[in-house]
Amino acid sequence: MQYTHCMVSDFKQKNGDGMGSIHTFSKLVAVTLLTLSHNGFANAGKASEQTGFSYPNGARYAISLSFDDARSSQVDVGLPILDRHGVKGTFYINPQFAKERLAGWKAAVKNGHDLGNHTSSHLCTGNFAWLRKDNLGLEQVDLAWLRRDIESTTQFMKQQLNVSPKSFAYPCGNTFVGRGVDVQSYVPLVAELFKTGRTWLDETGNNPTYTDFAQLAGNRMDGMSFVEIKEMLDLLKEENKWIILAGHDVGEKGLYTVDKEALNALIVYLKDPKNGYWLATVDEVATYIEKHR
C-alpha cells in the first residue's frame, strides 16, 4: 500500500488531478499489480528451480571468463594472471590478431585454455564507422558468405593451433545478415557448426535448464572496477545462473579493456568457496549443463 501511495503522490505532482490523469494512472496501477503478481509467482518457483539444478562441488552459480579477438594484451597480460591463479579462460580467436602472438596462443592451448571462433572478418553492423569507411557490414552479406568466413577461421585454428573450436562468439553480439524483410539470423548456422555461441552486452545470465547454447548471454567486464563487476554479478546470479563475462584487451581500465587489477581481484573472489561460484570455461560449463539438465 505504501508503494502504491508513493506512486499516486508522484503521479499527481507530475500530471495534476484531472480525470484523464486518473484513468491513465489506473492503467499504470493495473500494469504494476500485474508485474508484482508475476514476480510473486517467479519468486515462489525460485526455490524449486534452485534445488532442481546444481553445479560441481556444491557451487550455486557457474561463471566463465571470456575474451574476444585474440588481442596481444590477452597473451601479454591476461593469460599470465589466469595462469598464476590456476584458472582457465575462453578466448575467441580472430586470425589477424592471433598471428601477432602465435607462440603465446599455442602455449595457451597447452595450458588448457578454451579457444573459440570469432570469425576472420569480425563483421558487425555497418552502422559502425570503422566498417562504413570500407563499405562493409552484415547488412551487405548473406549466410553463404558468413559461413565461408567462419570456416576459414576454424581452418586457421586447426592448422596453426591444432584446435577444432567448439565455441563461437558473435562479433559485436550481432546475429543477423541482410536488411529489412531479407534479414536472416545466423544463429542456426552457429548451432550447426559449434556447441555454443555467445552474444554480447546482455542484461541477464543464463538459466541452466532453459538457455539456448547457440545464443548464450554474455555480460561486459571491460572498463569496470572489481566493485562494479561484483555488483553486477549480485544482480545476475539468481536461480543458479551461469554468467559469462566478456572482455577485450587486458591492462589499464578502458572502454574495451578489462582492468588487470579488477581481473585479479575478481578471480580471487570467484575462487573462494564461500561465494558459491564454479569458475570454468564456456565449453566445460556447457558440457556439464548439457549432461545434467
Side-chain angles (χ1 to χ4, degrees), residues 25-178:
F25 176 71
S26 297
K27 294 179 181 178
L28 286 173
V29 170
V31 171
T32 301
L33 292 175
L34 182 62
T35 301
L36 291 174
S37 175
H38 170 76
N39 289 340
F41 282 117
N43 290 332
K46 182 179 292 187
S48 62
E49 198 164 345
Q50 286 181 329
T51 56
F53 194 90
S54 61
Y55 294 108
N57 304 316
R60 300 186 300 279
Y61 324 105
I63 191 163
S64 301
L65 304 178
S66 67
F67 304 84
D68 291 2
D69 302 334
R71 300 186 182 200
S72 295
S73 65
Q74 294 170 13
V75 171
D76 299 342
V77 183
L79 280 166
I81 293 174
L82 270 61
D83 289 342
R84 185 165 65 247
H85 289 284
V87 302
K88 309 305 177 187
T90 298
F91 296 84
Y92 294 102
I93 300 297
N94 180 298
Q96 64 176 322
F97 287 108
K99 291 174 183 176
E100 298 175 5
R101 291 290 189 279
L102 202 56
W105 290 116
K106 289 179 179 179
V109 173
K110 186 177 180 180
N111 288 339
H113 295 283
D114 177 26
L115 268 57
N117 186 311
H118 200 45
T119 78
S120 294
S121 67
H122 199 284
L123 206 58
C124 307
T125 172
N127 287 300
F128 282 106
W130 50 275
L131 285 171
R132 287 288 2 101
K133 70 178 183 180
D134 294 323
N135 192 32
L136 296 172
L138 286 170
E139 293 85 350
Q140 298 165 239
V141 301
D142 58 20
L143 292 175
W145 186 96
L146 200 56
R147 177 187 285 271
R148 291 192 296 271
D149 187 56
I150 292 171
E151 290 180 341
S152 70
T153 303
T154 294
Q155 191 64 26
F156 169 85
M157 295 177 68
K158 287 179 177 179
Q159 292 178 347
Q160 300 297 328
L161 301 170
N162 197 29
V163 169
S164 296
K166 299 177 182 177
S167 307
F168 180 85
Y170 299 90
C172 306
N174 298 147
T175 61
F176 72 93
V177 295

Side-chain angles (χ1 to χ4, degrees), residues 57-61 237 268-277:
N57 304 316
R60 300 186 300 279
Y61 324 105
K237 67 183 183 181
V268 171
Y269 171 77
L270 295 175
K271 289 185 68 180
D272 189 336
K274 75 173 184 290
N275 295 317
Y277 287 94

Side-chain angles (χ1 to χ4, degrees), residues 183-198:
V183 165
Q184 291 180 284
S185 169
Y186 75 92
V187 172
L189 174 61
V190 169
E192 174 193 336
L193 298 176
F194 304 97
K195 180 189 292 184
T196 64
R198 195 218 71 209

